[in-house]
Amino acid sequence: MHILRTRRNQDSRQYGQALAEFALVLPVVALLLLGTIQFASILAAQIGVTNAVREGARLAAVTTPTSTATQANANALAIYNVLTGANGLLARNVFAFNSANVVVTGTPDTSVCYVGFTDTTAAPGVKVKVEVVYRHPIFVPLLDGLLDGIDGTPDGGLRIGAAEELRVENDVLTSTTVTTNCNP
C-alpha cells in the first residue's frame, strides 16, 4: 500500500513538472508558428505583386500607339488604373489586398512610366516601366519592430515590391516625343 501511494505522488509531480515545462515552451513555439504563418503571407503577397506587375507591364507594352507625350500620359494613367483599381491586377493577385497599402508617395513608389530612347541601331523606341510598392500588414506584434527595421520604414508593415521594364510594341517609329511620363 505504501509503495502504491509513493508511486502516485511521483506521477503527480511528473505531471506538474511537464505542465511547467509546457508553459515555458508554449510562447516560443507559438511565436515560431505565428512567425512562419506571417512570412508565408508575406511571400504569397510578394508573388502576387510580382505577377500583377508582370501582367501590367505586358499590357502597357502592347497598348499602342505610344509615341507622343500625350499618348504616353494617357496610356500610363490607364495602366495605373488597371493595376491599382478595385478589381485590378493587384486586387486579383494579392490575397486580402487593401488599396490603402499601395505606396504612392516617396521613393520608390507605385508608378507606370513611359520613356523614349534610341536603341543600338539608332532607331527611336519607347520603354515602359511598371513599379509597385506595397505595404504588407504585420499581424504578429513582436515581428512588427523587427520587420520595420528591415525595410527602414516604421509603418506597421513590410514594404514589398516589384518592377518590370519592357519595350513598347509600337509600329516602326521615325521619332518619339516621349521623354519621361509617369503616373500617378
Side-chain angles (χ1 to χ4, degrees), residues 90-131:
L90 285 169
R92 285 183 268 167
N93 283 288
V94 178
F95 177 72
F97 173 75
N98 183 352
S99 61
N101 290 338
V102 175
V103 177
V104 294
T105 59
T107 303
D109 66 348
T110 301
S111 61
V112 178
C113 297
Y114 284 92
V115 178
F117 73 100
T118 304
D119 68 10
T120 57
T121 64
V126 178
K127 292 189 287 189
V128 63
K129 181 178 181 183
V130 177
E131 184 171 14

PDB file of all heavy atoms in Angstrom, residues 90-131:
ATOM      1  N   LEU A  90      -3.668  44.041 -59.049  1.00  0.00           N
ATOM      2  CA  LEU A  90      -3.203  43.806 -57.673  1.00  0.00           C
ATOM      3  C   LEU A  90      -4.303  43.142 -56.841  1.00  0.00           C
ATOM      4  O   LEU A  90      -4.033  42.213 -56.071  1.00  0.00           O
ATOM      5  CB  LEU A  90      -2.760  45.117 -57.019  1.00  0.00           C
ATOM      6  CG  LEU A  90      -1.419  45.652 -57.488  1.00  0.00           C
ATOM      7  CD1 LEU A  90      -1.212  47.079 -56.993  1.00  0.00           C
ATOM      8  CD2 LEU A  90      -0.293  44.759 -57.023  1.00  0.00           C
ATOM      9  N   ALA A  91      -5.520  43.600 -56.980  1.00  0.00           N
ATOM     10  CA  ALA A  91      -6.630  43.019 -56.209  1.00  0.00           C
ATOM     11  C   ALA A  91      -6.840  41.552 -56.568  1.00  0.00           C
ATOM     12  O   ALA A  91      -7.201  40.746 -55.706  1.00  0.00           O
ATOM     13  CB  ALA A  91      -7.915  43.811 -56.457  1.00  0.00           C
ATOM     14  N   ARG A  92      -6.594  41.205 -57.820  1.00  0.00           N
ATOM     15  CA  ARG A  92      -6.787  39.810 -58.246  1.00  0.00           C
ATOM     16  C   ARG A  92      -5.619  38.908 -57.894  1.00  0.00           C
ATOM     17  O   ARG A  92      -5.768  37.695 -57.830  1.00  0.00           O
ATOM     18  CB  ARG A  92      -7.027  39.749 -59.750  1.00  0.00           C
ATOM     19  CG  ARG A  92      -8.425  40.215 -60.127  1.00  0.00           C
ATOM     20  CD  ARG A  92      -8.660  40.074 -61.590  1.00  0.00           C
ATOM     21  NE  ARG A  92      -8.287  41.352 -62.196  1.00  0.00           N
ATOM     22  CZ  ARG A  92      -8.123  41.530 -63.486  1.00  0.00           C
ATOM     23  NH1 ARG A  92      -8.262  40.541 -64.320  1.00  0.00           N
ATOM     24  NH2 ARG A  92      -7.804  42.708 -63.956  1.00  0.00           N
ATOM     25  N   ASN A  93      -4.433  39.496 -57.660  1.00  0.00           N
ATOM     26  CA  ASN A  93      -3.245  38.683 -57.420  1.00  0.00           C
ATOM     27  C   ASN A  93      -2.760  38.655 -55.975  1.00  0.00           C
ATOM     28  O   ASN A  93      -2.014  37.759 -55.604  1.00  0.00           O
ATOM     29  CB  ASN A  93      -2.091  39.174 -58.310  1.00  0.00           C
ATOM     30  CG  ASN A  93      -2.233  38.724 -59.735  1.00  0.00           C
ATOM     31  OD1 ASN A  93      -2.052  37.556 -60.035  1.00  0.00           O
ATOM     32  ND2 ASN A  93      -2.597  39.636 -60.620  1.00  0.00           N
ATOM     33  N   VAL A  94      -3.147  39.648 -55.166  1.00  0.00           N
ATOM     34  CA  VAL A  94      -2.663  39.735 -53.791  1.00  0.00           C
ATOM     35  C   VAL A  94      -3.809  39.398 -52.846  1.00  0.00           C
ATOM     36  O   VAL A  94      -4.829  40.086 -52.830  1.00  0.00           O
ATOM     37  CB  VAL A  94      -2.105  41.140 -53.478  1.00  0.00           C
ATOM     38  CG1 VAL A  94      -1.654  41.231 -52.032  1.00  0.00           C
ATOM     39  CG2 VAL A  94      -0.961  41.473 -54.419  1.00  0.00           C
ATOM     40  N   PHE A  95      -3.623  38.337 -52.055  1.00  0.00           N
ATOM     41  CA  PHE A  95      -4.648  37.917 -51.095  1.00  0.00           C
ATOM     42  C   PHE A  95      -4.870  39.013 -50.063  1.00  0.00           C
ATOM     43  O   PHE A  95      -3.923  39.581 -49.542  1.00  0.00           O
ATOM     44  CB  PHE A  95      -4.219  36.610 -50.412  1.00  0.00           C
ATOM     45  CG  PHE A  95      -5.182  36.136 -49.368  1.00  0.00           C
ATOM     46  CD1 PHE A  95      -6.402  35.607 -49.733  1.00  0.00           C
ATOM     47  CD2 PHE A  95      -4.887  36.247 -48.034  1.00  0.00           C
ATOM     48  CE1 PHE A  95      -7.294  35.176 -48.784  1.00  0.00           C
ATOM     49  CE2 PHE A  95      -5.766  35.829 -47.066  1.00  0.00           C
ATOM     50  CZ  PHE A  95      -6.985  35.286 -47.444  1.00  0.00           C
ATOM     51  N   ALA A  96      -6.116  39.311 -49.758  1.00  0.00           N
ATOM     52  CA  ALA A  96      -6.507  40.337 -48.786  1.00  0.00           C
ATOM     53  C   ALA A  96      -5.916  41.695 -49.152  1.00  0.00           C
ATOM     54  O   ALA A  96      -5.452  42.439 -48.301  1.00  0.00           O
ATOM     55  CB  ALA A  96      -6.124  39.931 -47.371  1.00  0.00           C
ATOM     56  N   PHE A  97      -5.950  42.014 -50.434  1.00  0.00           N
ATOM     57  CA  PHE A  97      -5.410  43.279 -50.931  1.00  0.00           C
ATOM     58  C   PHE A  97      -6.186  44.453 -50.359  1.00  0.00           C
ATOM     59  O   PHE A  97      -7.402  44.436 -50.268  1.00  0.00           O
ATOM     60  CB  PHE A  97      -5.482  43.311 -52.462  1.00  0.00           C
ATOM     61  CG  PHE A  97      -5.110  44.623 -53.063  1.00  0.00           C
ATOM     62  CD1 PHE A  97      -3.790  45.015 -53.118  1.00  0.00           C
ATOM     63  CD2 PHE A  97      -6.076  45.474 -53.575  1.00  0.00           C
ATOM     64  CE1 PHE A  97      -3.430  46.229 -53.676  1.00  0.00           C
ATOM     65  CE2 PHE A  97      -5.724  46.684 -54.140  1.00  0.00           C
ATOM     66  CZ  PHE A  97      -4.406  47.066 -54.191  1.00  0.00           C
ATOM     67  N   ASN A  98      -5.456  45.494 -49.969  1.00  0.00           N
ATOM     68  CA  ASN A  98      -6.057  46.727 -49.477  1.00  0.00           C
ATOM     69  C   ASN A  98      -5.415  47.872 -50.257  1.00  0.00           C
ATOM     70  O   ASN A  98      -4.208  48.094 -50.154  1.00  0.00           O
ATOM     71  CB  ASN A  98      -5.807  46.887 -47.975  1.00  0.00           C
ATOM     72  CG  ASN A  98      -6.472  48.109 -47.404  1.00  0.00           C
ATOM     73  OD1 ASN A  98      -7.015  48.944 -48.114  1.00  0.00           O
ATOM     74  ND2 ASN A  98      -6.430  48.213 -46.095  1.00  0.00           N
ATOM     75  N   SER A  99      -6.211  48.601 -51.020  1.00  0.00           N
ATOM     76  CA  SER A  99      -5.657  49.662 -51.868  1.00  0.00           C
ATOM     77  C   SER A  99      -4.997  50.773 -51.053  1.00  0.00           C
ATOM     78  O   SER A  99      -4.142  51.489 -51.572  1.00  0.00           O
ATOM     79  CB  SER A  99      -6.741  50.248 -52.769  1.00  0.00           C
ATOM     80  OG  SER A  99      -7.775  50.813 -51.983  1.00  0.00           O
ATOM     81  N   ALA A 100      -5.356  50.911 -49.776  1.00  0.00           N
ATOM     82  CA  ALA A 100      -4.718  51.920 -48.924  1.00  0.00           C
ATOM     83  C   ALA A 100      -3.256  51.573 -48.643  1.00  0.00           C
ATOM     84  O   ALA A 100      -2.487  52.444 -48.230  1.00  0.00           O
ATOM     85  CB  ALA A 100      -5.482  52.057 -47.615  1.00  0.00           C
ATOM     86  N   ASN A 101      -2.856  50.324 -48.854  1.00  0.00           N
ATOM     87  CA  ASN A 101      -1.477  49.900 -48.602  1.00  0.00           C
ATOM     88  C   ASN A 101      -0.564  50.041 -49.819  1.00  0.00           C
ATOM     89  O   ASN A 101       0.611  49.707 -49.741  1.00  0.00           O
ATOM     90  CB  ASN A 101      -1.450  48.455 -48.098  1.00  0.00           C
ATOM     91  CG  ASN A 101      -2.002  48.336 -46.699  1.00  0.00           C
ATOM     92  OD1 ASN A 101      -2.046  49.296 -45.945  1.00  0.00           O
ATOM     93  ND2 ASN A 101      -2.443  47.141 -46.356  1.00  0.00           N
ATOM     94  N   VAL A 102      -1.092  50.516 -50.933  1.00  0.00           N
ATOM     95  CA  VAL A 102      -0.253  50.780 -52.106  1.00  0.00           C
ATOM     96  C   VAL A 102       0.510  52.071 -51.833  1.00  0.00           C
ATOM     97  O   VAL A 102      -0.079  53.105 -51.526  1.00  0.00           O
ATOM     98  CB  VAL A 102      -1.099  50.908 -53.386  1.00  0.00           C
ATOM     99  CG1 VAL A 102      -0.230  51.301 -54.573  1.00  0.00           C
ATOM    100  CG2 VAL A 102      -1.836  49.611 -53.673  1.00  0.00           C
ATOM    101  N   VAL A 103       1.826  52.018 -51.917  1.00  0.00           N
ATOM    102  CA  VAL A 103       2.667  53.177 -51.629  1.00  0.00           C
ATOM    103  C   VAL A 103       2.676  54.090 -52.853  1.00  0.00           C
ATOM    104  O   VAL A 103       3.114  53.679 -53.932  1.00  0.00           O
ATOM    105  CB  VAL A 103       4.100  52.748 -51.253  1.00  0.00           C
ATOM    106  CG1 VAL A 103       4.990  53.950 -51.022  1.00  0.00           C
ATOM    107  CG2 VAL A 103       4.071  51.842 -50.033  1.00  0.00           C
ATOM    108  N   VAL A 104       2.179  55.330 -52.681  1.00  0.00           N
ATOM    109  CA  VAL A 104       2.099  56.275 -53.792  1.00  0.00           C
ATOM    110  C   VAL A 104       2.944  57.526 -53.567  1.00  0.00           C
ATOM    111  O   VAL A 104       2.985  58.400 -54.418  1.00  0.00           O
ATOM    112  CB  VAL A 104       0.630  56.672 -54.082  1.00  0.00           C
ATOM    113  CG1 VAL A 104      -0.156  55.492 -54.587  1.00  0.00           C
ATOM    114  CG2 VAL A 104      -0.021  57.284 -52.861  1.00  0.00           C
ATOM    115  N   THR A 105       3.609  57.617 -52.419  1.00  0.00           N
ATOM    116  CA  THR A 105       4.484  58.757 -52.152  1.00  0.00           C
ATOM    117  C   THR A 105       5.866  58.257 -51.763  1.00  0.00           C
ATOM    118  O   THR A 105       6.017  57.131 -51.297  1.00  0.00           O
ATOM    119  CB  THR A 105       3.924  59.636 -51.012  1.00  0.00           C
ATOM    120  OG1 THR A 105       3.800  58.840 -49.834  1.00  0.00           O
ATOM    121  CG2 THR A 105       2.586  60.223 -51.383  1.00  0.00           C
ATOM    122  N   GLY A 106       6.852  59.111 -51.922  1.00  0.00           N
ATOM    123  CA  GLY A 106       8.210  58.727 -51.567  1.00  0.00           C
ATOM    124  C   GLY A 106       8.904  58.029 -52.726  1.00  0.00           C
ATOM    125  O   GLY A 106       8.397  57.960 -53.834  1.00  0.00           O
ATOM    126  N   THR A 107      10.072  57.508 -52.418  1.00  0.00           N
ATOM    127  CA  THR A 107      10.846  56.795 -53.427  1.00  0.00           C
ATOM    128  C   THR A 107      11.329  55.499 -52.836  1.00  0.00           C
ATOM    129  O   THR A 107      11.948  55.519 -51.777  1.00  0.00           O
ATOM    130  CB  THR A 107      12.053  57.636 -53.880  1.00  0.00           C
ATOM    131  OG1 THR A 107      11.566  58.887 -54.352  1.00  0.00           O
ATOM    132  CG2 THR A 107      12.829  56.941 -54.968  1.00  0.00           C
ATOM    133  N   PRO A 108      11.087  54.380 -53.402  1.00  0.00           N
ATOM    134  CA  PRO A 108      10.295  54.147 -54.594  1.00  0.00           C
ATOM    135  C   PRO A 108       8.799  54.193 -54.274  1.00  0.00           C
ATOM    136  O   PRO A 108       8.396  54.061 -53.127  1.00  0.00           O
ATOM    137  CB  PRO A 108      10.721  52.746 -55.028  1.00  0.00           C
ATOM    138  CG  PRO A 108      11.075  52.058 -53.761  1.00  0.00           C
ATOM    139  CD  PRO A 108      11.645  53.129 -52.867  1.00  0.00           C
ATOM    140  N   ASP A 109       8.008  54.342 -55.308  1.00  0.00           N
ATOM    141  CA  ASP A 109       6.563  54.320 -55.154  1.00  0.00           C
ATOM    142  C   ASP A 109       5.951  53.550 -56.316  1.00  0.00           C
ATOM    143  O   ASP A 109       6.662  53.020 -57.162  1.00  0.00           O
ATOM    144  CB  ASP A 109       5.995  55.736 -55.058  1.00  0.00           C
ATOM    145  CG  ASP A 109       6.161  56.519 -56.352  1.00  0.00           C
ATOM    146  OD1 ASP A 109       6.910  56.064 -57.241  1.00  0.00           O
ATOM    147  OD2 ASP A 109       5.548  57.586 -56.480  1.00  0.00           O
ATOM    148  N   THR A 110       4.639  53.497 -56.350  1.00  0.00           N
ATOM    149  CA  THR A 110       3.934  52.778 -57.405  1.00  0.00           C
ATOM    150  C   THR A 110       3.753  53.715 -58.588  1.00  0.00           C
ATOM    151  O   THR A 110       3.202  54.810 -58.432  1.00  0.00           O
ATOM    152  CB  THR A 110       2.571  52.284 -56.883  1.00  0.00           C
ATOM    153  OG1 THR A 110       2.817  51.436 -55.769  1.00  0.00           O
ATOM    154  CG2 THR A 110       1.823  51.527 -57.947  1.00  0.00           C
ATOM    155  N   SER A 111       4.216  53.284 -59.762  1.00  0.00           N
ATOM    156  CA  SER A 111       4.134  54.151 -60.929  1.00  0.00           C
ATOM    157  C   SER A 111       4.187  53.347 -62.219  1.00  0.00           C
ATOM    158  O   SER A 111       4.642  52.204 -62.240  1.00  0.00           O
ATOM    159  CB  SER A 111       5.271  55.174 -60.923  1.00  0.00           C
ATOM    160  OG  SER A 111       6.515  54.505 -60.974  1.00  0.00           O
ATOM    161  N   VAL A 112       3.713  53.988 -63.284  1.00  0.00           N
ATOM    162  CA  VAL A 112       3.832  53.473 -64.648  1.00  0.00           C
ATOM    163  C   VAL A 112       4.505  54.573 -65.445  1.00  0.00           C
ATOM    164  O   VAL A 112       3.977  55.680 -65.547  1.00  0.00           O
ATOM    165  CB  VAL A 112       2.457  53.123 -65.252  1.00  0.00           C
ATOM    166  CG1 VAL A 112       2.616  52.649 -66.684  1.00  0.00           C
ATOM    167  CG2 VAL A 112       1.735  52.089 -64.410  1.00  0.00           C
ATOM    168  N   CYS A 113       5.684  54.305 -65.991  1.00  0.00           N
ATOM    169  CA  CYS A 113       6.470  55.325 -66.694  1.00  0.00           C
ATOM    170  C   CYS A 113       6.772  54.877 -68.118  1.00  0.00           C
ATOM    171  O   CYS A 113       7.218  53.748 -68.340  1.00  0.00           O
ATOM    172  CB  CYS A 113       7.792  55.574 -65.980  1.00  0.00           C
ATOM    173  SG  CYS A 113       7.633  56.221 -64.323  1.00  0.00           S
ATOM    174  N   TYR A 114       6.563  55.801 -69.061  1.00  0.00           N
ATOM    175  CA  TYR A 114       6.979  55.593 -70.441  1.00  0.00           C
ATOM    176  C   TYR A 114       8.192  56.482 -70.688  1.00  0.00           C
ATOM    177  O   TYR A 114       8.199  57.649 -70.315  1.00  0.00           O
ATOM    178  CB  TYR A 114       5.865  55.964 -71.411  1.00  0.00           C
ATOM    179  CG  TYR A 114       4.764  54.942 -71.499  1.00  0.00           C
ATOM    180  CD1 TYR A 114       3.643  55.028 -70.692  1.00  0.00           C
ATOM    181  CD2 TYR A 114       4.858  53.886 -72.394  1.00  0.00           C
ATOM    182  CE1 TYR A 114       2.635  54.089 -70.775  1.00  0.00           C
ATOM    183  CE2 TYR A 114       3.858  52.943 -72.488  1.00  0.00           C
ATOM    184  CZ  TYR A 114       2.734  53.050 -71.670  1.00  0.00           C
ATOM    185  OH  TYR A 114       1.747  52.115 -71.765  1.00  0.00           O
ATOM    186  N   VAL A 115       9.211  55.923 -71.332  1.00  0.00           N
ATOM    187  CA  VAL A 115      10.442  56.659 -71.590  1.00  0.00           C
ATOM    188  C   VAL A 115      10.854  56.424 -73.041  1.00  0.00           C
ATOM    189  O   VAL A 115      10.935  55.277 -73.492  1.00  0.00           O
ATOM    190  CB  VAL A 115      11.582  56.180 -70.647  1.00  0.00           C
ATOM    191  CG1 VAL A 115      12.874  56.913 -70.940  1.00  0.00           C
ATOM    192  CG2 VAL A 115      11.175  56.344 -69.203  1.00  0.00           C
ATOM    193  N   GLY A 116      11.124  57.509 -73.765  1.00  0.00           N
ATOM    194  CA  GLY A 116      11.639  57.386 -75.114  1.00  0.00           C
ATOM    195  C   GLY A 116      13.130  57.111 -75.077  1.00  0.00           C
ATOM    196  O   GLY A 116      13.832  57.562 -74.171  1.00  0.00           O
ATOM    197  N   PHE A 117      13.616  56.362 -76.045  1.00  0.00           N
ATOM    198  CA  PHE A 117      15.047  56.043 -76.104  1.00  0.00           C
ATOM    199  C   PHE A 117      15.433  55.748 -77.543  1.00  0.00           C
ATOM    200  O   PHE A 117      14.574  55.601 -78.416  1.00  0.00           O
ATOM    201  CB  PHE A 117      15.381  54.845 -75.196  1.00  0.00           C
ATOM    202  CG  PHE A 117      14.905  53.524 -75.727  1.00  0.00           C
ATOM    203  CD1 PHE A 117      15.783  52.670 -76.382  1.00  0.00           C
ATOM    204  CD2 PHE A 117      13.579  53.138 -75.589  1.00  0.00           C
ATOM    205  CE1 PHE A 117      15.347  51.451 -76.891  1.00  0.00           C
ATOM    206  CE2 PHE A 117      13.138  51.928 -76.092  1.00  0.00           C
ATOM    207  CZ  PHE A 117      14.015  51.087 -76.736  1.00  0.00           C
ATOM    208  N   THR A 118      16.730  55.669 -77.765  1.00  0.00           N
ATOM    209  CA  THR A 118      17.258  55.273 -79.068  1.00  0.00           C
ATOM    210  C   THR A 118      18.003  53.967 -78.863  1.00  0.00           C
ATOM    211  O   THR A 118      18.883  53.881 -78.011  1.00  0.00           O
ATOM    212  CB  THR A 118      18.217  56.349 -79.616  1.00  0.00           C
ATOM    213  OG1 THR A 118      17.505  57.591 -79.659  1.00  0.00           O
ATOM    214  CG2 THR A 118      18.700  55.991 -81.003  1.00  0.00           C
ATOM    215  N   ASP A 119      17.634  52.948 -79.646  1.00  0.00           N
ATOM    216  CA  ASP A 119      18.274  51.647 -79.456  1.00  0.00           C
ATOM    217  C   ASP A 119      19.645  51.599 -80.124  1.00  0.00           C
ATOM    218  O   ASP A 119      20.131  52.590 -80.642  1.00  0.00           O
ATOM    219  CB  ASP A 119      17.353  50.512 -79.926  1.00  0.00           C
ATOM    220  CG  ASP A 119      17.130  50.501 -81.423  1.00  0.00           C
ATOM    221  OD1 ASP A 119      17.811  51.228 -82.151  1.00  0.00           O
ATOM    222  OD2 ASP A 119      16.244  49.746 -81.871  1.00  0.00           O
ATOM    223  N   THR A 120      20.255  50.437 -80.119  1.00  0.00           N
ATOM    224  CA  THR A 120      21.628  50.286 -80.625  1.00  0.00           C
ATOM    225  C   THR A 120      21.735  50.500 -82.134  1.00  0.00           C
ATOM    226  O   THR A 120      22.824  50.750 -82.639  1.00  0.00           O
ATOM    227  CB  THR A 120      22.172  48.892 -80.281  1.00  0.00           C
ATOM    228  OG1 THR A 120      21.292  47.907 -80.816  1.00  0.00           O
ATOM    229  CG2 THR A 120      22.316  48.729 -78.786  1.00  0.00           C
ATOM    230  N   THR A 121      20.606  50.415 -82.846  1.00  0.00           N
ATOM    231  CA  THR A 121      20.638  50.662 -84.293  1.00  0.00           C
ATOM    232  C   THR A 121      20.234  52.092 -84.627  1.00  0.00           C
ATOM    233  O   THR A 121      19.947  52.398 -85.775  1.00  0.00           O
ATOM    234  CB  THR A 121      19.697  49.682 -85.028  1.00  0.00           C
ATOM    235  OG1 THR A 121      18.356  49.940 -84.604  1.00  0.00           O
ATOM    236  CG2 THR A 121      20.078  48.243 -84.759  1.00  0.00           C
ATOM    237  N   ALA A 122      20.167  52.951 -83.608  1.00  0.00           N
ATOM    238  CA  ALA A 122      19.797  54.367 -83.736  1.00  0.00           C
ATOM    239  C   ALA A 122      18.327  54.561 -84.089  1.00  0.00           C
ATOM    240  O   ALA A 122      17.932  55.619 -84.559  1.00  0.00           O
ATOM    241  CB  ALA A 122      20.701  55.090 -84.724  1.00  0.00           C
ATOM    242  N   ALA A 123      17.522  53.556 -83.876  1.00  0.00           N
ATOM    243  CA  ALA A 123      16.082  53.665 -84.117  1.00  0.00           C
ATOM    244  C   ALA A 123      15.391  54.134 -82.840  1.00  0.00           C
ATOM    245  O   ALA A 123      15.720  53.665 -81.753  1.00  0.00           O
ATOM    246  CB  ALA A 123      15.520  52.318 -84.554  1.00  0.00           C
ATOM    247  N   PRO A 124      14.439  55.053 -82.971  1.00  0.00           N
ATOM    248  CA  PRO A 124      13.733  55.513 -81.765  1.00  0.00           C
ATOM    249  C   PRO A 124      12.771  54.436 -81.266  1.00  0.00           C
ATOM    250  O   PRO A 124      12.222  53.659 -82.041  1.00  0.00           O
ATOM    251  CB  PRO A 124      12.987  56.750 -82.247  1.00  0.00           C
ATOM    252  CG  PRO A 124      12.820  56.568 -83.709  1.00  0.00           C
ATOM    253  CD  PRO A 124      13.999  55.754 -84.169  1.00  0.00           C
ATOM    254  N   GLY A 125      12.602  54.407 -79.956  1.00  0.00           N
ATOM    255  CA  GLY A 125      11.689  53.455 -79.353  1.00  0.00           C
ATOM    256  C   GLY A 125      11.149  54.006 -78.039  1.00  0.00           C
ATOM    257  O   GLY A 125      11.544  55.077 -77.583  1.00  0.00           O
ATOM    258  N   VAL A 126      10.240  53.258 -77.454  1.00  0.00           N
ATOM    259  CA  VAL A 126       9.648  53.647 -76.184  1.00  0.00           C
ATOM    260  C   VAL A 126       9.684  52.437 -75.262  1.00  0.00           C
ATOM    261  O   VAL A 126       9.361  51.319 -75.680  1.00  0.00           O
ATOM    262  CB  VAL A 126       8.192  54.136 -76.370  1.00  0.00           C
ATOM    263  CG1 VAL A 126       7.570  54.492 -75.031  1.00  0.00           C
ATOM    264  CG2 VAL A 126       8.129  55.312 -77.321  1.00  0.00           C
ATOM    265  N   LYS A 127      10.110  52.669 -74.016  1.00  0.00           N
ATOM    266  CA  LYS A 127      10.089  51.619 -72.988  1.00  0.00           C
ATOM    267  C   LYS A 127       9.048  51.990 -71.949  1.00  0.00           C
ATOM    268  O   LYS A 127       8.770  53.161 -71.717  1.00  0.00           O
ATOM    269  CB  LYS A 127      11.444  51.498 -72.292  1.00  0.00           C
ATOM    270  CG  LYS A 127      12.558  50.980 -73.142  1.00  0.00           C
ATOM    271  CD  LYS A 127      13.813  50.692 -72.326  1.00  0.00           C
ATOM    272  CE  LYS A 127      14.467  51.988 -71.916  1.00  0.00           C
ATOM    273  NZ  LYS A 127      15.793  51.785 -71.305  1.00  0.00           N
ATOM    274  N   VAL A 128       8.500  50.980 -71.314  1.00  0.00           N
ATOM    275  CA  VAL A 128       7.587  51.212 -70.208  1.00  0.00           C
ATOM    276  C   VAL A 128       8.145  50.509 -68.972  1.00  0.00           C
ATOM    277  O   VAL A 128       8.665  49.401 -69.072  1.00  0.00           O
ATOM    278  CB  VAL A 128       6.150  50.717 -70.516  1.00  0.00           C
ATOM    279  CG1 VAL A 128       6.111  49.208 -70.727  1.00  0.00           C
ATOM    280  CG2 VAL A 128       5.187  51.121 -69.420  1.00  0.00           C
ATOM    281  N   LYS A 129       8.065  51.200 -67.841  1.00  0.00           N
ATOM    282  CA  LYS A 129       8.485  50.606 -66.571  1.00  0.00           C
ATOM    283  C   LYS A 129       7.306  50.671 -65.619  1.00  0.00           C
ATOM    284  O   LYS A 129       6.767  51.744 -65.358  1.00  0.00           O
ATOM    285  CB  LYS A 129       9.678  51.351 -65.971  1.00  0.00           C
ATOM    286  CG  LYS A 129      10.138  50.731 -64.661  1.00  0.00           C
ATOM    287  CD  LYS A 129      11.336  51.437 -64.089  1.00  0.00           C
ATOM    288  CE  LYS A 129      11.769  50.752 -62.792  1.00  0.00           C
ATOM    289  NZ  LYS A 129      12.897  51.452 -62.176  1.00  0.00           N
ATOM    290  N   VAL A 130       6.910  49.501 -65.129  1.00  0.00           N
ATOM    291  CA  VAL A 130       5.826  49.400 -64.152  1.00  0.00           C
ATOM    292  C   VAL A 130       6.457  48.995 -62.837  1.00  0.00           C
ATOM    293  O   VAL A 130       7.173  47.992 -62.763  1.00  0.00           O
ATOM    294  CB  VAL A 130       4.773  48.355 -64.594  1.00  0.00           C
ATOM    295  CG1 VAL A 130       3.692  48.210 -63.546  1.00  0.00           C
ATOM    296  CG2 VAL A 130       4.177  48.741 -65.938  1.00  0.00           C
ATOM    297  N   GLU A 131       6.210  49.795 -61.810  1.00  0.00           N
ATOM    298  CA  GLU A 131       6.769  49.523 -60.485  1.00  0.00           C
ATOM    299  C   GLU A 131       5.660  49.623 -59.448  1.00  0.00           C
ATOM    300  O   GLU A 131       4.861  50.549 -59.469  1.00  0.00           O
ATOM    301  CB  GLU A 131       7.873  50.518 -60.165  1.00  0.00           C
ATOM    302  CG  GLU A 131       8.564  50.248 -58.858  1.00  0.00           C
ATOM    303  CD  GLU A 131       9.796  51.121 -58.659  1.00  0.00           C
ATOM    304  OE1 GLU A 131       9.972  52.099 -59.392  1.00  0.00           O
ATOM    305  OE2 GLU A 131      10.570  50.803 -57.749  1.00  0.00           O
TER     306      GLU A 131
END
